[in-house]
Amino acid sequence: MIDDIDLTDLDVFARGFPHELFTTLRREAPVWFQPPSAHTPGGEGFWVLSRHADVTAAALDAATFSSHRGGARDGGGTLIEDLPSGFAAGVLLNMMDDPRHRHFRKLVTPSVSPRALATMEAELRERTATILDAVAERGSCDLVTDVAAELPLQAIARLLGVPQVDRHRLFGWANATLDYDDRELGQTSAKVQAAQAELFQYGAALLAEKRRCPADDILSAAVHGRIPSDRGGDEPLSELEQQMLFNLLIAAGSETTRNSIALGFAALVEHPEQWRTLRDDRALLPRAVEEMLRWASSTPYNRRTATRDVELRGQTIRAGDKVTLWWASANRDEDVFADPFRFDVRRDPNPHLTFGYGNHFCLGANLARLEMRLVFEGLLERFDAIALDGPIEWTRSNKHTGVRHMPAAFVRRTERPS
Ligand code: HEM
């Protein structure tokens, strides 16, 4: 029953994304107002867009659907809970509107361009081999901590110029912030506050280092670059913008890709014929990566705030209303994907919205795709079969669909390709 749905009750998301519920919404109430509940932050309801066409249209119309704020609201941002304006909203690259967002993004884009990534590929391939050889040796592992978390962490450390020895500290801090294992939406905890403080301190020291000694990395580009100022001329990013970029990249760069790799792996286990298809035709790997991304949809939604009154499918959204765009639901839209609940490594076309859409399209999409390709290439090279070796433990969050632990086992290839 639609009346019973509460998208802010994290228990609804405690065993993966609630696809059934969104299938109902897409069919019966594609522009739906989630009424306030015991869990909704600030006791405030919000709009829920679940169809591909509406989600893409809203994401493209950033003037009406702001990532920063709208109406008389003080805070805003891209989470259901309001984040303070001037600290997170309006300061984080992903919670900023054009034109400043566009200038900021232009500054850091070259660091993750296909050309820049090409120079990292050989190193990342070697890192992947080390990670996978270690688990091949043992025959089993925790797929999340031993494999899926490792490559994205090593890659983001490399991208940010963070010493590799520190990567697990960063990971622990980011995890504490992103997983709601000890709190409800809009709440914080002593663990979260301590993690945020340590992450902040670490970032501040790292940025100071980049100011003194610029290197060839994304933070140095952010620290030393200049963007057009509102007052004319140009200016550097504020220290807070630089600091929040560091936080954003640690979180965005590690968690989402890890979850896509882990859930992609689980999908291949669940569909062994798809694993075999891929093993027999490796040329399908880029398509398979897109299908794993669609299937996992590791970022379920992002929020916008309406900047003006707007009509959508007969509903009136008012200036200042919260509007959530559910990428994970759009990725199962029956109007766009043939047989959307079939996992198909040959799927083509596959216009999934896993990386978002429009001006905030994921900055790290090329990196995430490369990491996934390397991991699955490595798995296919080494193993005849893959399996789950126990129950998977889901992350409790409506912001990240993912897993904390996934016991996995492998059967090694009897022959390695020459
Ligand atoms: C499979 C992995 C990933 C997924 C599913 C994912 C998902 C997303 C989504 C949905 C958005 C759009 C947010 C919005 O419209 O409000 C986004 C933006 C962003 N992502 Fe990713 N992401 C992934 C990997 C990465 C990586 C590896 C990085 C780091 C290099 C990264 C950095 C960013 C940044 C900086 C933005 C903000 C871009 C902007 O606002 O212009 N992401 N991501």
Side-chain angles (χ1 to χ4, degrees):
M1 282 300 94
I2 288 184
D3 288 348
D4 298 333
I5 294 176
D6 184 354
L7 297 176
T8 54
D9 177 358
L10 299 185
D11 287 343
V12 171
F13 295 80
R15 294 165 55 80
F17 188 77
H19 280 294
E20 269 181 38
L21 191 156
F22 275 94
T23 301
T24 309
L25 284 178
R26 278 195 305 279
R27 191 179 52 231
E28 293 176 24
V31 179
W32 180 63
F33 190 75
Q34 163 75 66
S37 76
H39 301 279
T40 47
E44 193 186 350
F46 53 89
W47 293 98
V48 174
L49 309 190
S50 50
R51 283 199 192 160
H52 195 283
D54 296 333
V55 168
T56 50
L60 274 183
D61 185 0
T64 305
F65 298 101
S66 163
S67 292
H68 178 187
R69 65 177 164 198
R73 188 179 289 282
D74 275 342
T78 60
L79 306 183
I80 292 170
E81 59 265 41
D82 266 344
L83 296 177
S85 199
F87 181 70
V91 179
L92 278 160
L93 173 67
N94 62 326
M95 301 197 191
M96 222 181 233
D97 290 331
D98 288 343
R100 193 167 179 86
H101 160 263
R102 191 175 60 243
H103 300 313
F104 188 163
R105 186 172 162 119
K106 203 168 150 202
L107 212 55
V108 289
T109 301
S111 305
V112 282
S113 66
R115 217 169 104 215
L117 294 180
T119 66
M120 284 172 69
E121 182 165 340
E123 180 190 330
L124 292 184
R125 179 170 279 111
E126 251 175 61
R127 290 184 176 280
T128 312
T130 308
I131 293 165
L132 293 180
D133 284 343
V135 300
E137 202 58 42
R138 304 204 313 261
S140 66
C141 72
D142 182 336
L143 201 276
V144 177
T145 52
D146 295 334
V147 178
E150 266 303 316
L151 187 65
L153 263 186
Q154 295 187 17
I156 202 71
R158 162 76 161 68
L159 194 71
L160 291 172
V162 167
Q164 291 289 340
V165 287
D166 288 342
R167 68 178 189 272
H168 288 118
R169 290 164 69 199
L170 297 174
F171 180 61
W173 298 331
N175 270 356
T177 315
L178 297 172
D179 195 349
Y180 287 79
D181 57 346
D182 61 345
R183 62 200 165 111
E184 296 301 322
L185 218 58
Q187 294 176 350
T188 185
S189 71
K191 186 177 88 177
V192 171
Q193 281 172 345
Q196 277 170 343
E198 284 174 36
L199 188 68
F200 206 86
Q201 251 177 13
Y202 187 95
L206 187 68
L207 285 160
E209 172 68 23
K210 305 290 173 198
R211 266 175 223 123
R212 277 194 306 273
C213 307
D216 181 19
D217 58 51
I218 195 166
L219 287 185
S220 298
V223 165
H224 294 280
R226 298 180 77 82
I227 63 173
S229 156
D230 293 345
R231 296 175 295 278
D234 60 17
E235 61 184 11
L237 295 173
S238 74
E239 288 201 11
L240 191 58
E241 284 169 334
Q242 297 170 14
Q243 175 82 43
M244 295 305 265
L245 176 70
F246 166 77
N247 289 12
L248 171 64
L249 289 172
I250 290 288
S254 54
E255 180 93 359
T256 46
T257 319
R258 157 173 65 141
N259 288 330
S260 300
I261 292 172
L263 295 177
F265 180 93
L268 286 170
V269 169
E270 215 182 301
H271 301 88
E273 78 292 351
Q274 299 288 317
W275 165 265
R276 285 191 294 272
T277 302
L278 205 48
R279 207 188 46 193
D280 296 343
D281 185 359
R282 300 274 186 86
L284 286 174
L285 193 52
R287 268 197 224 170
V289 165
E290 296 310 305
E291 181 66 345
M292 288 189 261
L293 283 162
R294 180 185 80 90
W295 195 252
S297 290
S298 61
T299 300
Y301 84 92
N302 284 105
R303 172 194 146 190
R304 303 292 188 256
T305 307
T307 57
R308 60 178 179 89
D309 293 358
V310 57
E311 280 275 308
L312 206 54
R313 292 193 194 272
Q315 306 273 20
T316 305
I317 298 175
R318 302 265 173 221
D321 281 359
K322 298 177 178 182
V323 183
T324 52
L325 319 186
W326 291 81
W327 318 115
S329 171
N331 283 347
R332 293 289 200 283
D333 191 331
E334 301 73 7
D335 289 345
V336 174
F337 299 96
D339 208 351
F341 284 90
R342 185 164 46 90
F343 177 70
D344 179 2
V345 294
R346 296 177 185 276
R347 187 178 291 278
D348 184 35
N350 189 348
H352 68 74
L353 304 181
T354 300
F355 291 121
Y357 201 70
N359 62 342
H360 289 280
F361 182 81
C362 178
L363 187 76
N366 289 326
L367 177 59
R369 286 179 165 128
L370 170 63
E371 290 168 15
M372 290 182 71
R373 182 161 56 73
L374 291 175
V375 167
F376 287 96
E377 217 168 69
L379 288 170
L380 288 161
E381 241 169 51
R382 283 168 183 76
F383 304 117
D384 267 331
I386 56 176
L388 291 184
D389 200 17
I392 68 177
E393 197 183 311
W394 291 92
T395 313
R396 185 171 177 270
S397 166
N398 64 1
K399 193 62 196 62
H400 290 279
T401 302
V403 270
R404 294 183 194 130
H405 299 289
M406 184 183 283
F410 312 101
V411 178
R412 283 179 89 144
R413 272 180 93 97
T414 35
E415 274 172 47
R416 293 285 286 276
S418 51

